[in-house]
């Protein structure tokens, strides 16, 4: 398993994406864009873990 940041996954796709604590990606427009990018990389399954 590998851990990547939102900036590193732009343009990539994965069967499974586990997004841990999405609020840590920041606030405002930048945080929203990073969450969107992270959440749309999954082709089969998205798991979001919040604290």
């Amino acid at each position: 398993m590998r851990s990547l940041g939102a900036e590193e996954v732009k343009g990539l796709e994965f069967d499974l994406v586990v997004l841990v604590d999405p609020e840590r990606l920041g606030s405002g427009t930048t945080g929203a864009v990073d969450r969107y990018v992270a959440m749309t990389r999954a082709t089969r399954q998205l798991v979001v873990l919040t604290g």
Side-chain angles (χ1 to χ4, degrees):
M1 186 186 303
R2 191 169 166 187
S3 174
L4 300 170
E7 315 82 39
E8 300 170 294
V9 297
K10 286 184 180 175
L12 302 177
E13 293 182 334
F14 304 93
D15 290 337
L16 168 66
V17 172
V18 179
L19 180 55
V20 179
D21 197 10
E23 293 301 317
R24 285 185 27 169
L25 292 174
S27 61
T29 303
T30 301
V33 169
D34 286 347
R35 276 188 293 282
Y36 174 81
V37 168
M39 293 174 73
T40 58
R41 300 304 89 199
T43 58
R44 293 182 183 231
Q45 187 174 11
L46 170 65
V47 177
V48 180
L49 302 174
T50 60

